[in-house]
Amino acid sequence: MGNLIFINTIVKKMKNIFPLYISIAFLMFSCNSNHPTIEGLDYTAWKYDQGGCNGDREKMVSFIHENKEQFLYFNQNNIISMFGKPENQTLFTRSQTIYFYHIKNSSLCNKTLDNADNSKTVMLQIRFDALNRSKELFVYNYNDLEI
């Protein structure tokens, strides 16, 4: 009987302390914003150049292309905090997701009929696996850029 009262007392104390531990753990992991620091890459300018219409993304895409390994294994929320909301996203096979960020010749900027399907658009594609980790970065039409 005495052991039961002792265990009951411990459980009551743990109920009071447990939410504190959960809150501390949440704060430790949620405040981690380890974006890759690459000289010449301005994440704020990237976010505000929606669709690549201002030309800022075109100036920075070579830094991303040359350092693409540094952007692997981030989850979708981390990528959005770095690059902003993607212009397009696609659900792919086996629960994979692909984010698209337009860099140049976007149909969002030019409403011309020659690029209505974005076939000439230079864009950053980030593929996420089923565990929500970035697995591949690819710059579509990268050779069409005049860098």
Side-chain angles (χ1 to χ4, degrees):
M1 185 71 162
N3 288 340
L4 188 60
I5 294 172
F6 178 71
I7 293 172
N8 193 17
T9 306
I10 291 175
V11 169
K12 285 181 181 177
K13 287 182 181 179
M14 288 298 290
K15 285 182 181 179
N16 295 336
I17 295 173
F18 187 71
L20 177 66
Y21 287 132
I22 295 295
S23 299
I24 290 171
F26 177 75
L27 287 174
M28 286 176 49
F29 291 110
S30 67
C31 296
N32 187 5
S33 62
N34 294 330
H35 299 169
T37 305
I38 299 170
E39 188 175 333
L41 182 59
D42 182 4
Y43 294 109
T44 304
W46 180 281
K47 288 179 190 177
Y48 287 114
D49 188 12
Q50 285 290 314
C53 299
N54 297 334
D56 295 332
R57 289 182 178 182
E58 184 179 359
K59 297 172 191 168
M60 293 183 274
V61 71
S62 62
F63 301 119
I64 295 171
H65 183 70
E66 293 165 3
N67 299 287
K68 58 184 162 186
E69 295 81 23
Q70 293 187 33
F71 296 101
L72 298 180
Y73 304 109
F74 285 98
N75 68 29
Q76 292 177 4
N77 291 333
N78 294 130
I79 293 293
I80 289 174
S81 70
M82 283 186 255
F83 297 112
K85 191 174 178 182
E87 278 81 34
N88 196 359
Q89 73 182 57
T90 301
L91 186 61
F92 200 57
T93 60
R94 297 185 181 181
S95 299
Q96 298 178 59
T97 304
I98 302 175
Y99 280 3
F100 297 95
Y101 293 93
H102 296 195
I103 296 168
K104 183 179 178 186
N105 298 330
S106 173
S107 63
L108 301 173
C109 305
N110 298 336
K111 297 295 181 186
T112 59
L113 295 177
D114 63 332
N115 195 30
D117 63 349
N118 283 323
S119 62
K120 298 177 185 176
T121 301
V122 179
M123 65 178 85
L124 173 65
Q125 299 179 5
I126 305 174
R127 183 177 60 86
F128 297 93
D129 63 10
L131 297 175
N132 194 19
R133 296 175 302 196
S134 56
K135 285 299 202 180
E136 179 184 22
L137 272 79
F138 177 73
V139 181
Y140 183 75
N141 287 336
Y142 183 71
N143 295 331
D144 294 345
L145 286 175
E146 294 135 16
I147 300 174

